mmCIF file of all heavy atoms in Angstrom:
data_model
loop_
_atom_site.group_PDB
_atom_site.id
_atom_site.type_symbol
_atom_site.label_atom_id
_atom_site.label_comp_id
_atom_site.label_asym_id
_atom_site.label_seq_id
_atom_site.Cartn_x
_atom_site.Cartn_y
_atom_site.Cartn_z
ATOM 1 N N LEU B 695 -9.531 1.214 -10.700
ATOM 2 C CA LEU B 695 -8.483 2.177 -11.016
ATOM 3 C C LEU B 695 -9.078 3.430 -11.663
ATOM 4 O O LEU B 695 -9.776 3.350 -12.671
ATOM 5 C CB LEU B 695 -7.459 1.527 -11.950
ATOM 6 C CG LEU B 695 -6.068 2.159 -12.020
ATOM 7 C CD1 LEU B 695 -5.394 2.112 -10.663
ATOM 8 C CD2 LEU B 695 -5.225 1.455 -13.065
ATOM 9 N N LYS B 696 -8.778 4.598 -11.073
ATOM 10 C CA LYS B 696 -9.262 5.872 -11.594
ATOM 11 C C LYS B 696 -8.135 6.793 -12.044
ATOM 12 O O LYS B 696 -8.346 7.651 -12.900
ATOM 13 C CB LYS B 696 -10.111 6.583 -10.524
ATOM 14 C CG LYS B 696 -11.396 5.860 -10.175
ATOM 15 C CD LYS B 696 -12.180 6.640 -9.129
ATOM 16 C CE LYS B 696 -13.476 5.923 -8.779
ATOM 17 N NZ LYS B 696 -14.236 6.649 -7.725
ATOM 18 N N GLU B 697 -6.954 6.630 -11.439
ATOM 19 C CA GLU B 697 -5.816 7.469 -11.796
ATOM 20 C C GLU B 697 -4.610 6.578 -12.063
ATOM 21 O O GLU B 697 -4.299 5.698 -11.267
ATOM 22 C CB GLU B 697 -5.494 8.461 -10.670
ATOM 23 C CG GLU B 697 -6.626 9.433 -10.381
ATOM 24 C CD GLU B 697 -6.245 10.469 -9.343
ATOM 25 O OE1 GLU B 697 -5.028 10.598 -9.051
ATOM 26 O OE2 GLU B 697 -7.139 11.159 -8.826
ATOM 27 N N LEU B 698 -3.924 6.819 -13.190
ATOM 28 C CA LEU B 698 -2.793 5.988 -13.584
ATOM 29 C C LEU B 698 -1.670 6.868 -14.122
ATOM 30 O O LEU B 698 -1.899 7.711 -15.002
ATOM 31 C CB LEU B 698 -3.229 4.980 -14.650
ATOM 32 C CG LEU B 698 -2.132 4.092 -15.258
ATOM 33 C CD1 LEU B 698 -1.473 3.224 -14.197
ATOM 34 C CD2 LEU B 698 -2.717 3.228 -16.374
ATOM 35 N N VAL B 699 -0.463 6.674 -13.582
ATOM 36 C CA VAL B 699 0.737 7.377 -14.049
ATOM 37 C C VAL B 699 1.765 6.316 -14.435
ATOM 38 O O VAL B 699 2.109 5.455 -13.615
ATOM 39 C CB VAL B 699 1.316 8.301 -12.965
ATOM 40 C CG1 VAL B 699 2.583 8.983 -13.479
ATOM 41 C CG2 VAL B 699 0.289 9.339 -12.538
ATOM 42 N N ILE B 700 2.247 6.366 -15.673
ATOM 43 C CA ILE B 700 3.226 5.394 -16.174
ATOM 44 C C ILE B 700 4.446 6.136 -16.695
ATOM 45 O O ILE B 700 4.328 7.051 -17.514
ATOM 46 C CB ILE B 700 2.639 4.522 -17.304
ATOM 47 C CG1 ILE B 700 1.388 3.787 -16.828
ATOM 48 C CG2 ILE B 700 3.669 3.527 -17.802
ATOM 49 C CD1 ILE B 700 0.714 2.994 -17.931
ATOM 50 N N GLY B 701 5.625 5.720 -16.218
ATOM 51 C CA GLY B 701 6.875 6.282 -16.721
ATOM 52 C C GLY B 701 7.379 5.484 -17.912
ATOM 53 O O GLY B 701 6.712 4.579 -18.417
ATOM 54 N N GLN B 702 8.586 5.787 -18.376
ATOM 55 C CA GLN B 702 9.107 5.149 -19.587
ATOM 56 C C GLN B 702 10.070 4.002 -19.282
ATOM 57 O O GLN B 702 10.159 3.042 -20.039
ATOM 58 C CB GLN B 702 9.835 6.181 -20.453
ATOM 59 C CG GLN B 702 10.327 5.625 -21.785
ATOM 60 C CD GLN B 702 11.128 6.654 -22.568
ATOM 61 O OE1 GLN B 702 11.747 7.525 -21.992
ATOM 62 N NE2 GLN B 702 11.090 6.562 -23.884
ATOM 63 N N GLN B 703 10.795 4.069 -18.173
ATOM 64 C CA GLN B 703 11.855 3.120 -17.915
ATOM 65 C C GLN B 703 11.338 1.676 -17.856
ATOM 66 O O GLN B 703 10.260 1.406 -17.342
ATOM 67 C CB GLN B 703 12.563 3.454 -16.592
ATOM 68 C CG GLN B 703 13.178 4.839 -16.544
ATOM 69 C CD GLN B 703 12.181 5.895 -16.077
ATOM 70 O OE1 GLN B 703 10.988 5.635 -16.027
ATOM 71 N NE2 GLN B 703 12.695 7.072 -15.766
ATOM 72 N N GLN B 704 12.118 0.765 -18.402
ATOM 73 C CA GLN B 704 11.929 -0.685 -18.293
ATOM 74 C C GLN B 704 10.693 -1.221 -19.015
ATOM 75 O O GLN B 704 10.374 -2.389 -18.893
ATOM 76 C CB GLN B 704 11.827 -1.123 -16.820
ATOM 77 C CG GLN B 704 13.052 -0.784 -15.990
ATOM 78 C CD GLN B 704 12.895 -1.279 -14.567
ATOM 79 O OE1 GLN B 704 12.242 -2.280 -14.315
ATOM 80 N NE2 GLN B 704 13.520 -0.578 -13.645
ATOM 81 N N SER B 705 9.985 -0.429 -19.762
ATOM 82 C CA SER B 705 8.804 -0.947 -20.440
ATOM 83 C C SER B 705 9.215 -1.858 -21.597
ATOM 84 O O SER B 705 10.247 -1.668 -22.238
ATOM 85 C CB SER B 705 7.937 0.207 -20.965
ATOM 86 O OG SER B 705 8.658 0.972 -21.905
ATOM 87 N N THR B 706 8.381 -2.874 -21.832
ATOM 88 C CA THR B 706 8.604 -3.815 -22.926
ATOM 89 C C THR B 706 7.319 -3.950 -23.714
ATOM 90 O O THR B 706 6.266 -3.465 -23.301
ATOM 91 C CB THR B 706 9.013 -5.197 -22.384
ATOM 92 O OG1 THR B 706 7.916 -5.748 -21.639
ATOM 93 C CG2 THR B 706 10.251 -5.102 -21.487
ATOM 94 N N ALA B 707 7.389 -4.647 -24.854
ATOM 95 C CA ALA B 707 6.193 -4.847 -25.671
ATOM 96 C C ALA B 707 5.127 -5.607 -24.898
ATOM 97 O O ALA B 707 3.930 -5.281 -24.959
ATOM 98 C CB ALA B 707 6.559 -5.575 -26.966
ATOM 99 N N SER B 708 5.532 -6.629 -24.163
ATOM 100 C CA SER B 708 4.549 -7.425 -23.410
ATOM 101 C C SER B 708 3.951 -6.625 -22.260
ATOM 102 O O SER B 708 2.744 -6.711 -21.995
ATOM 103 C CB SER B 708 5.205 -8.703 -22.879
ATOM 104 O OG SER B 708 6.306 -8.387 -22.031
ATOM 105 N N SER B 709 4.773 -5.824 -21.537
ATOM 106 C CA SER B 709 4.225 -5.029 -20.431
ATOM 107 C C SER B 709 3.267 -3.970 -20.960
ATOM 108 O O SER B 709 2.235 -3.686 -20.347
ATOM 109 C CB SER B 709 5.347 -4.374 -19.626
ATOM 110 O OG SER B 709 6.076 -3.451 -20.419
ATOM 111 N N GLY B 710 3.584 -3.378 -22.112
ATOM 112 C CA GLY B 710 2.675 -2.401 -22.707
ATOM 113 C C GLY B 710 1.350 -3.023 -23.092
ATOM 114 O O GLY B 710 0.293 -2.440 -22.862
ATOM 115 N N GLN B 711 1.375 -4.226 -23.665
ATOM 116 C CA GLN B 711 0.146 -4.897 -24.066
ATOM 117 C C GLN B 711 -0.720 -5.241 -22.855
ATOM 118 O O GLN B 711 -1.937 -5.050 -22.860
ATOM 119 C CB GLN B 711 0.470 -6.178 -24.838
ATOM 120 C CG GLN B 711 -0.752 -6.914 -25.379
ATOM 121 C CD GLN B 711 -1.566 -6.052 -26.323
ATOM 122 O OE1 GLN B 711 -1.079 -5.626 -27.363
ATOM 123 N NE2 GLN B 711 -2.811 -5.772 -25.962
ATOM 124 N N MET B 712 -0.081 -5.749 -21.793
ATOM 125 C CA MET B 712 -0.850 -6.105 -20.600
ATOM 126 C C MET B 712 -1.473 -4.874 -19.947
ATOM 127 O O MET B 712 -2.607 -4.920 -19.472
ATOM 128 C CB MET B 712 0.056 -6.855 -19.620
ATOM 129 C CG MET B 712 0.277 -8.319 -20.016
ATOM 130 S SD MET B 712 1.269 -9.256 -18.853
ATOM 131 C CE MET B 712 2.912 -8.686 -19.299
ATOM 132 N N MET B 713 -0.753 -3.745 -19.928
ATOM 133 C CA MET B 713 -1.328 -2.534 -19.341
ATOM 134 C C MET B 713 -2.446 -1.967 -20.206
ATOM 135 O O MET B 713 -3.358 -1.321 -19.694
ATOM 136 C CB MET B 713 -0.243 -1.478 -19.123
ATOM 137 C CG MET B 713 0.669 -1.773 -17.946
ATOM 138 S SD MET B 713 -0.209 -2.105 -16.388
ATOM 139 C CE MET B 713 -0.962 -0.515 -16.065
ATOM 140 N N SER B 714 -2.407 -2.221 -21.507
ATOM 141 C CA SER B 714 -3.523 -1.779 -22.360
ATOM 142 C C SER B 714 -4.792 -2.535 -21.981
ATOM 143 O O SER B 714 -5.896 -1.978 -22.028
ATOM 144 C CB SER B 714 -3.189 -1.996 -23.839
ATOM 145 O OG SER B 714 -3.239 -3.364 -24.200
ATOM 146 N N TRP B 715 -4.653 -3.816 -21.579
ATOM 147 C CA TRP B 715 -5.818 -4.566 -21.121
ATOM 148 C C TRP B 715 -6.344 -4.006 -19.798
ATOM 149 O O TRP B 715 -7.557 -3.919 -19.585
ATOM 150 C CB TRP B 715 -5.448 -6.043 -20.954
ATOM 151 C CG TRP B 715 -5.041 -6.710 -22.233
ATOM 152 C CD1 TRP B 715 -5.409 -6.352 -23.499
ATOM 153 C CD2 TRP B 715 -4.170 -7.835 -22.378
ATOM 154 N NE1 TRP B 715 -4.840 -7.173 -24.427
ATOM 155 C CE2 TRP B 715 -4.065 -8.118 -23.778
ATOM 156 C CE3 TRP B 715 -3.464 -8.640 -21.502
ATOM 157 C CZ2 TRP B 715 -3.296 -9.148 -24.274
ATOM 158 C CZ3 TRP B 715 -2.701 -9.684 -21.994
ATOM 159 C CH2 TRP B 715 -2.611 -9.944 -23.371
ATOM 160 N N VAL B 716 -5.417 -3.625 -18.914
ATOM 161 C CA VAL B 716 -5.823 -3.024 -17.636
ATOM 162 C C VAL B 716 -6.577 -1.722 -17.880
ATOM 163 O O VAL B 716 -7.623 -1.458 -17.274
ATOM 164 C CB VAL B 716 -4.595 -2.772 -16.740
ATOM 165 C CG1 VAL B 716 -4.997 -2.002 -15.476
ATOM 166 C CG2 VAL B 716 -3.914 -4.086 -16.362
ATOM 167 N N VAL B 717 -6.070 -0.882 -18.795
ATOM 168 C CA VAL B 717 -6.722 0.394 -19.111
ATOM 169 C C VAL B 717 -8.112 0.155 -19.690
ATOM 170 O O VAL B 717 -9.072 0.865 -19.373
ATOM 171 C CB VAL B 717 -5.857 1.214 -20.095
ATOM 172 C CG1 VAL B 717 -6.621 2.426 -20.627
ATOM 173 C CG2 VAL B 717 -4.567 1.660 -19.418
ATOM 174 N N ALA B 718 -8.249 -0.863 -20.537
ATOM 175 C CA ALA B 718 -9.546 -1.166 -21.145
ATOM 176 C C ALA B 718 -10.578 -1.568 -20.093
ATOM 177 O O ALA B 718 -11.778 -1.315 -20.258
ATOM 178 C CB ALA B 718 -9.391 -2.286 -22.176
ATOM 179 N N ARG B 719 -10.135 -2.200 -18.994
ATOM 180 C CA ARG B 719 -11.050 -2.648 -17.941
ATOM 181 C C ARG B 719 -11.352 -1.551 -16.923
ATOM 182 O O ARG B 719 -12.231 -1.704 -16.082
ATOM 183 C CB ARG B 719 -10.437 -3.834 -17.175
ATOM 184 C CG ARG B 719 -10.114 -5.047 -18.007
ATOM 185 C CD ARG B 719 -9.509 -6.130 -17.122
ATOM 186 N NE ARG B 719 -8.887 -7.181 -17.928
ATOM 187 C CZ ARG B 719 -7.614 -7.532 -17.825
ATOM 188 N NH1 ARG B 719 -6.828 -6.936 -16.938
ATOM 189 N NH2 ARG B 719 -7.119 -8.491 -18.580
ATOM 190 N N SER B 720 -10.602 -0.454 -16.950
ATOM 191 C CA SER B 720 -10.678 0.572 -15.909
ATOM 192 C C SER B 720 -11.436 1.796 -16.409
ATOM 193 O O SER B 720 -11.326 2.172 -17.575
ATOM 194 C CB SER B 720 -9.267 0.991 -15.466
ATOM 195 O OG SER B 720 -8.501 -0.130 -15.069
ATOM 196 N N LEU B 721 -12.168 2.414 -15.489
ATOM 197 C CA LEU B 721 -12.890 3.646 -15.810
ATOM 198 C C LEU B 721 -12.019 4.830 -15.394
ATOM 199 O O LEU B 721 -12.335 5.591 -14.472
ATOM 200 C CB LEU B 721 -14.235 3.666 -15.081
ATOM 201 C CG LEU B 721 -15.100 2.409 -15.240
ATOM 202 C CD1 LEU B 721 -16.419 2.568 -14.518
ATOM 203 C CD2 LEU B 721 -15.331 2.108 -16.720
ATOM 204 N N LEU B 722 -10.899 4.969 -16.099
ATOM 205 C CA LEU B 722 -9.914 5.976 -15.727
ATOM 206 C C LEU B 722 -10.475 7.394 -15.862
ATOM 207 O O LEU B 722 -11.084 7.740 -16.867
ATOM 208 C CB LEU B 722 -8.661 5.850 -16.588
ATOM 209 C CG LEU B 722 -7.754 4.645 -16.339
ATOM 210 C CD1 LEU B 722 -6.607 4.642 -17.342
ATOM 211 C CD2 LEU B 722 -7.213 4.661 -14.922
ATOM 212 N N GLN B 723 -10.217 8.213 -14.840
ATOM 213 C CA GLN B 723 -10.554 9.626 -14.894
ATOM 214 C C GLN B 723 -9.320 10.483 -15.150
ATOM 215 O O GLN B 723 -9.423 11.594 -15.644
ATOM 216 C CB GLN B 723 -11.209 10.052 -13.581
ATOM 217 C CG GLN B 723 -12.532 9.351 -13.299
ATOM 218 C CD GLN B 723 -13.119 9.746 -11.966
ATOM 219 O OE1 GLN B 723 -12.595 10.613 -11.266
ATOM 220 N NE2 GLN B 723 -14.205 9.108 -11.586
ATOM 221 N N LYS B 724 -8.150 9.935 -14.814
ATOM 222 C CA LYS B 724 -6.909 10.674 -15.008
ATOM 223 C C LYS B 724 -5.832 9.714 -15.501
ATOM 224 O O LYS B 724 -5.598 8.668 -14.906
ATOM 225 C CB LYS B 724 -6.471 11.334 -13.699
ATOM 226 C CG LYS B 724 -5.213 12.179 -13.826
ATOM 227 C CD LYS B 724 -4.894 12.864 -12.507
ATOM 228 C CE LYS B 724 -3.653 13.753 -12.625
ATOM 229 N NZ LYS B 724 -3.342 14.440 -11.347
ATOM 230 N N LEU B 725 -5.181 10.080 -16.605
ATOM 231 C CA LEU B 725 -4.123 9.245 -17.193
ATOM 232 C C LEU B 725 -2.937 10.123 -17.541
ATOM 233 O O LEU B 725 -3.070 11.130 -18.232
ATOM 234 C CB LEU B 725 -4.644 8.531 -18.441
ATOM 235 C CG LEU B 725 -3.616 7.726 -19.243
ATOM 236 C CD1 LEU B 725 -3.015 6.608 -18.403
ATOM 237 C CD2 LEU B 725 -4.244 7.169 -20.519
ATOM 238 N N SER B 726 -1.763 9.726 -17.045
ATOM 239 C CA SER B 726 -0.521 10.421 -17.359
ATOM 240 C C SER B 726 0.504 9.373 -17.785
ATOM 241 O O SER B 726 0.754 8.425 -17.040
ATOM 242 C CB SER B 726 -0.016 11.201 -16.131
ATOM 243 O OG SER B 726 1.220 11.820 -16.403
ATOM 244 N N PHE B 727 1.089 9.544 -18.972
ATOM 245 C CA PHE B 727 2.031 8.528 -19.435
ATOM 246 C C PHE B 727 3.058 9.121 -20.393
ATOM 247 O O PHE B 727 2.819 10.144 -21.045
ATOM 248 C CB PHE B 727 1.284 7.366 -20.111
ATOM 249 C CG PHE B 727 0.610 7.730 -21.402
ATOM 250 C CD1 PHE B 727 1.179 7.394 -22.622
ATOM 251 C CD2 PHE B 727 -0.606 8.396 -21.410
ATOM 252 C CE1 PHE B 727 0.564 7.718 -23.825
ATOM 253 C CE2 PHE B 727 -1.242 8.719 -22.591
ATOM 254 C CZ PHE B 727 -0.648 8.385 -23.812
ATOM 255 N N VAL B 728 4.208 8.458 -20.416
ATOM 256 C CA VAL B 728 5.249 8.775 -21.384
ATOM 257 C C VAL B 728 5.100 7.782 -22.526
ATOM 258 O O VAL B 728 5.216 6.567 -22.335
ATOM 259 C CB VAL B 728 6.654 8.663 -20.754
ATOM 260 C CG1 VAL B 728 7.726 8.930 -21.798
ATOM 261 C CG2 VAL B 728 6.780 9.630 -19.584
ATOM 262 N N CYS B 729 4.827 8.281 -23.711
ATOM 263 C CA CYS B 729 4.505 7.412 -24.843
ATOM 264 C C CYS B 729 5.765 7.029 -25.620
ATOM 265 O O CYS B 729 6.483 7.887 -26.128
ATOM 266 C CB CYS B 729 3.509 8.118 -25.768
ATOM 267 S SG CYS B 729 2.913 7.072 -27.103
ATOM 268 N N ASP B 730 6.015 5.708 -25.679
ATOM 269 C CA ASP B 730 7.083 5.185 -26.526
ATOM 270 C C ASP B 730 6.506 4.062 -27.380
ATOM 271 O O ASP B 730 5.298 3.831 -27.391
ATOM 272 C CB ASP B 730 8.277 4.725 -25.685
ATOM 273 C CG ASP B 730 7.920 3.623 -24.696
ATOM 274 O OD1 ASP B 730 6.861 2.985 -24.863
ATOM 275 O OD2 ASP B 730 8.688 3.402 -23.745
#
Side-chain angles (χ1 to χ4, degrees):
L695 201 61
K696 294 181 180 178
E697 298 185 14
L698 176 61
V699 178
I700 302 176
Q702 184 184 28
Q703 301 87 347
Q704 300 182 31
S705 62
T706 65
S708 59
S709 63
Q711 184 59 62
M712 282 183 282
M713 285 308 294
S714 73
W715 297 334
V716 174
V717 170
R719 301 180 194 122
S720 306
L721 309 182
L722 289 177
Q723 297 177 5
K724 183 177 182 179
L725 174 61
S726 177
F727 67 102
V728 177
C729 186
D730 60 17

